[in-house]
Amino acid sequence: MKPLEIAKDIYWVGAIDWNIRDFHGYSTYQGTTYNAFLIVDEKITLIDAVKEEFTNDMFSRISQVVDPSKIDIVISNHTEMDHSGGLPKVMHRLSKDTPLYCSNNGMKNLKAHFHQEWNFQPVKSGDELSLGKRTLSFLETRMLHWPDSMFTYLPSDKILFSSDAFGQHYASLERFDDEVGEMIMPHAAKYYANILLPFSQLVTKLVDQVTEMGLEIDMICPDHGILWRKDPGKIIQAYAEWAKQTPKKKAVVVYDTMWHSTEKMADAMVEAFKDLGIEARVMHIRSCHRSEIMTEVMDAGAVVVGSPTINNNMFPTVADFLTYMKGLKPKNKVGGAFGSYGWSGEAAKQVNAELEAIGFELPNDPLRVQYIPDGDSLQACYALGEQIGQTLLKKVE
Ligand code: FEO
């Protein structure tokens, strides 16, 4: 468990979580890391901590650089417990007057989490903190993605410690973008789609603000995954693009099915998208994790959702997905609802109402087919796909 010197006297001292597969409902098939950083200056400074059960890993890494009890300053960029869980053990090792710098909301939230009277030093955007040879500055990034979130910037080394922003859930021994290459971008996109999407307007403002401030950035150090040093502008530009939620010529058909009837409807609709030259993906909800589906939804211009009716309701897995998608507030989508039923047939209407509540443009009424679709019914499904597809093409072309 070695630390890694990422710049002179600046160390990665975080932890690698190889085994996590579910991060509060987000599938993490390749684990994650909790990144923490140690700056050795006249004041020894720890930026962020790790999830509670990885605190000893962090101490082990810090110990190879300095005695952890010699830390002079602690900075908490974000209260969520994957970064603050280790703080009580850190603060316990330090003298009671060791300052803990965080945003004002960070102070409130850390108190509400740990109920400790640490020596909180709330900071706001523009505040600076001298460590001796180096000076840090702070930039509040409220609701990106918690009220407490902030960045810490080190101008002398042109390093931005960006908390969750620009992160990826990806466990590896490599620490830098140039060591892993392009394969990291889908992980970053999934992270954006599932964590930052609802705050896209704020992301746009933040990117503009950082550009106007003229911050020189040689390295971005997020709290998860690899660090961006080869081309930090690339991930900033990717965020600017994702935040726009520009609809692509792409459709996602999401469905669940009991006896393959709703599945047949989905397949017929996909044929229509294909014939219109629209990239299409079919995602069966019990085969694709909700967070994988949302990653595809992020840049899709059309999202069509199918559910059979069970006991007068939509299928529970469809309700799960719709609830999740609603919270992530995707914008600029054309959509539609469909589903097979036996006798009451409420599901497609319920799905349609949910899509409407999210703000989808719905050019058609929900399409229902009783029991098993015949040729005419499948033709109606194709026609629904065609109309949704044509509506999408008008928007994107
Ligand atoms: Fe990685 Fe919002 O915590």
Side-chain angles (χ1 to χ4, degrees), residues 351-392:
V351 169
N352 203 66
E354 287 298 310
L355 296 179
E356 195 169 17
I358 299 172
F360 278 31
E361 181 182 343
L362 301 166
N364 298 81
D365 290 334
L367 179 63
R368 303 185 308 158
V369 169
Q370 192 171 24
Y371 292 115
I372 297 170
D374 59 10
D376 287 348
S377 301
L378 291 176
Q379 188 52 45
C381 296
Y382 183 93
L384 175 63
E386 206 169 34
Q387 285 189 304
I388 292 169
Q390 279 164 351
T391 308
L392 172 61

Short mmCIF file of all heavy atoms in Angstrom, two decimals, residues 351-392:
data_model
loop_
_atom_site.label_atom_id
_atom_site.label_comp_id
_atom_site.label_asym_id
_atom_site.label_seq_id
_atom_site.Cartn_x
_atom_site.Cartn_y
_atom_site.Cartn_z
N VAL A 351 -46.93 4.54 -17.44
CA VAL A 351 -45.58 4.87 -17.92
C VAL A 351 -45.62 6.21 -18.65
O VAL A 351 -44.77 7.08 -18.45
CB VAL A 351 -45.04 3.75 -18.84
CG1 VAL A 351 -43.77 4.20 -19.55
CG2 VAL A 351 -44.80 2.47 -18.06
N ASN A 352 -46.63 6.37 -19.49
CA ASN A 352 -46.77 7.61 -20.26
C ASN A 352 -46.86 8.82 -19.32
O ASN A 352 -46.21 9.86 -19.56
CB ASN A 352 -48.02 7.53 -21.13
CG ASN A 352 -47.95 8.46 -22.31
OD1 ASN A 352 -47.13 8.26 -23.20
ND2 ASN A 352 -48.79 9.48 -22.32
N ALA A 353 -47.64 8.66 -18.26
CA ALA A 353 -47.80 9.78 -17.29
C ALA A 353 -46.47 10.11 -16.64
O ALA A 353 -46.15 11.29 -16.41
CB ALA A 353 -48.84 9.39 -16.24
N GLU A 354 -45.68 9.10 -16.35
CA GLU A 354 -44.36 9.35 -15.72
C GLU A 354 -43.43 10.06 -16.70
O GLU A 354 -42.71 10.98 -16.32
CB GLU A 354 -43.72 8.02 -15.26
CG GLU A 354 -44.38 7.43 -14.04
CD GLU A 354 -44.28 8.35 -12.83
OE1 GLU A 354 -43.17 8.83 -12.51
OE2 GLU A 354 -45.34 8.62 -12.22
N LEU A 355 -43.46 9.62 -17.95
CA LEU A 355 -42.59 10.28 -18.95
C LEU A 355 -43.00 11.74 -19.14
O LEU A 355 -42.16 12.63 -19.29
CB LEU A 355 -42.65 9.52 -20.28
CG LEU A 355 -42.12 8.08 -20.26
CD1 LEU A 355 -42.26 7.44 -21.65
CD2 LEU A 355 -40.67 8.01 -19.81
N GLU A 356 -44.31 11.96 -19.12
CA GLU A 356 -44.82 13.33 -19.24
C GLU A 356 -44.33 14.17 -18.05
O GLU A 356 -43.91 15.32 -18.22
CB GLU A 356 -46.35 13.29 -19.27
CG GLU A 356 -46.97 14.58 -19.74
CD GLU A 356 -48.46 14.42 -20.00
OE1 GLU A 356 -49.06 13.44 -19.52
OE2 GLU A 356 -49.01 15.29 -20.68
N ALA A 357 -44.37 13.58 -16.86
CA ALA A 357 -43.94 14.31 -15.66
C ALA A 357 -42.46 14.66 -15.72
O ALA A 357 -42.02 15.69 -15.20
CB ALA A 357 -44.23 13.46 -14.41
N ILE A 358 -41.67 13.81 -16.39
CA ILE A 358 -40.23 14.11 -16.52
C ILE A 358 -40.01 15.23 -17.53
O ILE A 358 -38.99 15.91 -17.50
CB ILE A 358 -39.44 12.83 -16.94
CG1 ILE A 358 -39.60 11.74 -15.88
CG2 ILE A 358 -37.97 13.13 -17.12
CD1 ILE A 358 -39.03 10.38 -16.28
N GLY A 359 -41.00 15.44 -18.41
CA GLY A 359 -40.87 16.51 -19.40
C GLY A 359 -40.57 16.02 -20.79
O GLY A 359 -40.15 16.79 -21.66
N PHE A 360 -40.79 14.73 -21.04
CA PHE A 360 -40.57 14.19 -22.38
C PHE A 360 -41.61 14.75 -23.35
O PHE A 360 -42.76 14.96 -22.98
CB PHE A 360 -40.73 12.66 -22.36
CG PHE A 360 -39.51 11.91 -21.88
CD1 PHE A 360 -38.64 12.43 -20.95
CD2 PHE A 360 -39.24 10.64 -22.38
CE1 PHE A 360 -37.52 11.73 -20.51
CE2 PHE A 360 -38.14 9.92 -21.96
CZ PHE A 360 -37.28 10.46 -21.02
N GLU A 361 -41.19 14.94 -24.59
CA GLU A 361 -42.13 15.25 -25.67
C GLU A 361 -42.72 13.91 -26.14
O GLU A 361 -41.97 13.00 -26.52
CB GLU A 361 -41.38 15.93 -26.82
CG GLU A 361 -42.26 16.32 -27.97
CD GLU A 361 -41.45 16.96 -29.12
OE1 GLU A 361 -40.29 17.38 -28.89
OE2 GLU A 361 -41.99 17.00 -30.23
N LEU A 362 -44.05 13.79 -26.07
CA LEU A 362 -44.69 12.51 -26.37
C LEU A 362 -45.62 12.69 -27.57
O LEU A 362 -46.76 13.14 -27.41
CB LEU A 362 -45.48 12.02 -25.14
CG LEU A 362 -44.64 11.82 -23.87
CD1 LEU A 362 -45.53 11.67 -22.64
CD2 LEU A 362 -43.74 10.61 -24.02
N PRO A 363 -45.14 12.38 -28.77
CA PRO A 363 -45.97 12.64 -29.95
C PRO A 363 -47.16 11.71 -30.10
O PRO A 363 -48.07 12.00 -30.88
CB PRO A 363 -44.98 12.45 -31.12
CG PRO A 363 -43.85 11.66 -30.57
CD PRO A 363 -43.79 11.90 -29.11
N ASN A 364 -47.20 10.60 -29.37
CA ASN A 364 -48.28 9.62 -29.53
C ASN A 364 -48.90 9.23 -28.21
O ASN A 364 -48.27 9.35 -27.16
CB ASN A 364 -47.74 8.34 -30.17
CG ASN A 364 -47.20 8.60 -31.54
OD1 ASN A 364 -46.07 9.06 -31.67
ND2 ASN A 364 -48.00 8.35 -32.56
N ASP A 365 -50.12 8.70 -28.31
CA ASP A 365 -50.73 8.09 -27.11
C ASP A 365 -49.99 6.79 -26.81
O ASP A 365 -49.38 6.19 -27.70
CB ASP A 365 -52.21 7.78 -27.38
CG ASP A 365 -53.03 9.06 -27.48
OD1 ASP A 365 -52.61 10.08 -26.89
OD2 ASP A 365 -54.07 9.03 -28.17
N PRO A 366 -50.08 6.34 -25.56
CA PRO A 366 -49.45 5.06 -25.23
C PRO A 366 -50.07 3.93 -26.06
O PRO A 366 -51.27 3.95 -26.35
CB PRO A 366 -49.74 4.88 -23.74
CG PRO A 366 -50.81 5.85 -23.40
CD PRO A 366 -50.71 6.97 -24.39
N LEU A 367 -49.24 2.98 -26.44
CA LEU A 367 -49.70 1.87 -27.28
C LEU A 367 -49.83 0.61 -26.43
O LEU A 367 -48.87 0.17 -25.79
CB LEU A 367 -48.69 1.64 -28.40
CG LEU A 367 -49.01 0.48 -29.35
CD1 LEU A 367 -50.32 0.72 -30.11
CD2 LEU A 367 -47.87 0.27 -30.33
N ARG A 368 -51.04 0.04 -26.47
CA ARG A 368 -51.30 -1.19 -25.68
C ARG A 368 -51.70 -2.32 -26.62
O ARG A 368 -52.43 -2.10 -27.60
CB ARG A 368 -52.43 -0.97 -24.69
CG ARG A 368 -52.20 0.19 -23.73
CD ARG A 368 -53.30 0.29 -22.71
NE ARG A 368 -54.62 0.32 -23.31
CZ ARG A 368 -55.74 -0.01 -22.67
NH1 ARG A 368 -55.70 -0.40 -21.41
NH2 ARG A 368 -56.90 0.06 -23.28
N VAL A 369 -51.25 -3.51 -26.31
CA VAL A 369 -51.64 -4.69 -27.10
C VAL A 369 -52.13 -5.75 -26.12
O VAL A 369 -51.44 -6.04 -25.12
CB VAL A 369 -50.44 -5.24 -27.90
CG1 VAL A 369 -50.77 -6.60 -28.49
CG2 VAL A 369 -50.05 -4.26 -29.00
N GLN A 370 -53.30 -6.33 -26.41
CA GLN A 370 -53.81 -7.35 -25.50
C GLN A 370 -53.15 -8.70 -25.77
O GLN A 370 -53.08 -9.15 -26.92
CB GLN A 370 -55.33 -7.47 -25.63
CG GLN A 370 -55.93 -8.30 -24.50
CD GLN A 370 -57.45 -8.26 -24.49
OE1 GLN A 370 -58.07 -8.01 -25.51
NE2 GLN A 370 -58.02 -8.50 -23.33
N TYR A 371 -52.66 -9.31 -24.71
CA TYR A 371 -51.97 -10.60 -24.79
C TYR A 371 -50.82 -10.58 -25.79
O TYR A 371 -49.89 -9.79 -25.62
CB TYR A 371 -52.96 -11.74 -25.04
CG TYR A 371 -53.89 -11.95 -23.83
CD1 TYR A 371 -55.25 -11.72 -23.92
CD2 TYR A 371 -53.35 -12.34 -22.60
CE1 TYR A 371 -56.08 -11.89 -22.81
CE2 TYR A 371 -54.18 -12.50 -21.49
CZ TYR A 371 -55.54 -12.28 -21.60
OH TYR A 371 -56.35 -12.44 -20.51
N ILE A 372 -50.91 -11.39 -26.85
CA ILE A 372 -49.74 -11.56 -27.73
C ILE A 372 -49.96 -10.76 -29.02
O ILE A 372 -51.00 -10.90 -29.67
CB ILE A 372 -49.54 -13.05 -28.03
CG1 ILE A 372 -49.22 -13.79 -26.71
CG2 ILE A 372 -48.42 -13.27 -29.05
CD1 ILE A 372 -49.22 -15.29 -26.81
N PRO A 373 -48.98 -9.93 -29.38
CA PRO A 373 -49.19 -9.10 -30.59
C PRO A 373 -49.25 -9.94 -31.87
O PRO A 373 -48.44 -10.85 -32.06
CB PRO A 373 -47.96 -8.17 -30.59
CG PRO A 373 -46.96 -8.81 -29.71
CD PRO A 373 -47.69 -9.65 -28.72
N ASP A 374 -50.23 -9.61 -32.72
CA ASP A 374 -50.29 -10.25 -34.03
C ASP A 374 -49.62 -9.33 -35.05
O ASP A 374 -49.04 -8.29 -34.68
CB ASP A 374 -51.75 -10.57 -34.42
CG ASP A 374 -52.62 -9.32 -34.48
OD1 ASP A 374 -52.05 -8.18 -34.39
OD2 ASP A 374 -53.85 -9.45 -34.61
N GLY A 375 -49.73 -9.67 -36.30
CA GLY A 375 -49.07 -8.87 -37.34
C GLY A 375 -49.52 -7.42 -37.34
O GLY A 375 -48.69 -6.50 -37.46
N ASP A 376 -50.84 -7.19 -37.18
CA ASP A 376 -51.34 -5.81 -37.17
C ASP A 376 -50.79 -5.04 -35.97
O ASP A 376 -50.43 -3.85 -36.07
CB ASP A 376 -52.87 -5.79 -37.13
CG ASP A 376 -53.47 -6.21 -38.46
OD1 ASP A 376 -52.71 -6.26 -39.46
OD2 ASP A 376 -54.69 -6.49 -38.50
N SER A 377 -50.75 -5.72 -34.84
CA SER A 377 -50.25 -5.05 -33.63
C SER A 377 -48.78 -4.70 -33.78
O SER A 377 -48.33 -3.61 -33.38
CB SER A 377 -50.41 -5.95 -32.40
OG SER A 377 -51.76 -6.29 -32.22
N LEU A 378 -48.02 -5.61 -34.37
CA LEU A 378 -46.60 -5.33 -34.55
C LEU A 378 -46.40 -4.19 -35.55
O LEU A 378 -45.49 -3.38 -35.41
CB LEU A 378 -45.86 -6.59 -35.00
CG LEU A 378 -45.76 -7.68 -33.92
CD1 LEU A 378 -45.11 -8.94 -34.47
CD2 LEU A 378 -44.99 -7.18 -32.70
N GLN A 379 -47.30 -4.11 -36.52
CA GLN A 379 -47.26 -3.00 -37.46
C GLN A 379 -47.53 -1.68 -36.73
O GLN A 379 -46.89 -0.65 -37.01
CB GLN A 379 -48.29 -3.23 -38.58
CG GLN A 379 -48.21 -2.23 -39.73
CD GLN A 379 -46.81 -2.09 -40.32
OE1 GLN A 379 -46.13 -3.11 -40.56
NE2 GLN A 379 -46.36 -0.86 -40.54
N ALA A 380 -48.45 -1.73 -35.77
CA ALA A 380 -48.74 -0.52 -34.97
C ALA A 380 -47.53 -0.13 -34.13
O ALA A 380 -47.25 1.07 -33.94
CB ALA A 380 -49.96 -0.77 -34.07
N CYS A 381 -46.80 -1.12 -33.64
CA CYS A 381 -45.57 -0.83 -32.87
C CYS A 381 -44.53 -0.19 -33.79
O CYS A 381 -43.86 0.78 -33.40
CB CYS A 381 -45.00 -2.11 -32.27
SG CYS A 381 -46.07 -2.86 -31.06
N TYR A 382 -44.39 -0.75 -34.98
CA TYR A 382 -43.45 -0.18 -35.96
C TYR A 382 -43.85 1.28 -36.25
O TYR A 382 -42.99 2.17 -36.27
CB TYR A 382 -43.49 -1.02 -37.24
CG TYR A 382 -42.50 -0.56 -38.29
CD1 TYR A 382 -41.23 -1.12 -38.37
CD2 TYR A 382 -42.84 0.45 -39.19
CE1 TYR A 382 -40.32 -0.69 -39.34
CE2 TYR A 382 -41.93 0.89 -40.15
CZ TYR A 382 -40.68 0.31 -40.23
OH TYR A 382 -39.78 0.74 -41.17
N ALA A 383 -45.15 1.50 -36.42
CA ALA A 383 -45.62 2.86 -36.72
C ALA A 383 -45.33 3.81 -35.57
O ALA A 383 -44.96 4.98 -35.78
CB ALA A 383 -47.12 2.84 -37.03
N LEU A 384 -45.45 3.33 -34.33
CA LEU A 384 -45.13 4.17 -33.17
C LEU A 384 -43.64 4.54 -33.19
O LEU A 384 -43.27 5.71 -33.01
CB LEU A 384 -45.48 3.45 -31.86
CG LEU A 384 -45.07 4.17 -30.57
CD1 LEU A 384 -45.80 5.50 -30.42
CD2 LEU A 384 -45.33 3.30 -29.33
N GLY A 385 -42.81 3.53 -33.43
CA GLY A 385 -41.37 3.79 -33.52
C GLY A 385 -41.07 4.79 -34.62
O GLY A 385 -40.25 5.69 -34.46
N GLU A 386 -41.78 4.63 -35.74
CA GLU A 386 -41.56 5.51 -36.89
C GLU A 386 -41.92 6.96 -36.54
O GLU A 386 -41.19 7.89 -36.85
CB GLU A 386 -42.45 5.01 -38.03
CG GLU A 386 -41.94 5.35 -39.39
CD GLU A 386 -42.73 4.58 -40.45
OE1 GLU A 386 -43.95 4.36 -40.25
OE2 GLU A 386 -42.13 4.22 -41.47
N GLN A 387 -43.05 7.13 -35.87
CA GLN A 387 -43.47 8.50 -35.53
C GLN A 387 -42.54 9.15 -34.50
O GLN A 387 -42.19 10.32 -34.62
CB GLN A 387 -44.91 8.48 -35.02
CG GLN A 387 -45.88 8.28 -36.18
CD GLN A 387 -47.32 8.47 -35.75
OE1 GLN A 387 -47.77 7.81 -34.81
NE2 GLN A 387 -48.02 9.36 -36.41
N ILE A 388 -42.15 8.37 -33.53
CA ILE A 388 -41.20 8.90 -32.53
C ILE A 388 -39.89 9.23 -33.23
O ILE A 388 -39.28 10.29 -33.00
CB ILE A 388 -41.00 7.89 -31.38
CG1 ILE A 388 -42.29 7.76 -30.57
CG2 ILE A 388 -39.85 8.31 -30.48
CD1 ILE A 388 -42.31 6.62 -29.58
N GLY A 389 -39.46 8.33 -34.10
CA GLY A 389 -38.21 8.54 -34.83
C GLY A 389 -38.27 9.78 -35.71
O GLY A 389 -37.31 10.57 -35.75
N GLN A 390 -39.39 9.97 -36.40
CA GLN A 390 -39.49 11.14 -37.27
C GLN A 390 -39.51 12.43 -36.44
O GLN A 390 -38.93 13.45 -36.85
CB GLN A 390 -40.74 11.02 -38.14
CG GLN A 390 -40.48 10.11 -39.34
CD GLN A 390 -41.74 9.63 -40.03
OE1 GLN A 390 -42.85 9.83 -39.53
NE2 GLN A 390 -41.56 8.96 -41.16
N THR A 391 -40.16 12.38 -35.29
CA THR A 391 -40.15 13.56 -34.41
C THR A 391 -38.72 13.88 -33.97
O THR A 391 -38.30 15.04 -33.95
CB THR A 391 -41.04 13.31 -33.16
OG1 THR A 391 -42.31 12.89 -33.60
CG2 THR A 391 -41.17 14.56 -32.31
N LEU A 392 -37.98 12.81 -33.67
CA LEU A 392 -36.58 13.01 -33.27
C LEU A 392 -35.76 13.60 -34.43
O LEU A 392 -34.99 14.55 -34.22
CB LEU A 392 -35.98 11.67 -32.82
CG LEU A 392 -34.46 11.67 -32.56
CD1 LEU A 392 -34.10 12.65 -31.45
CD2 LEU A 392 -33.98 10.28 -32.22
#
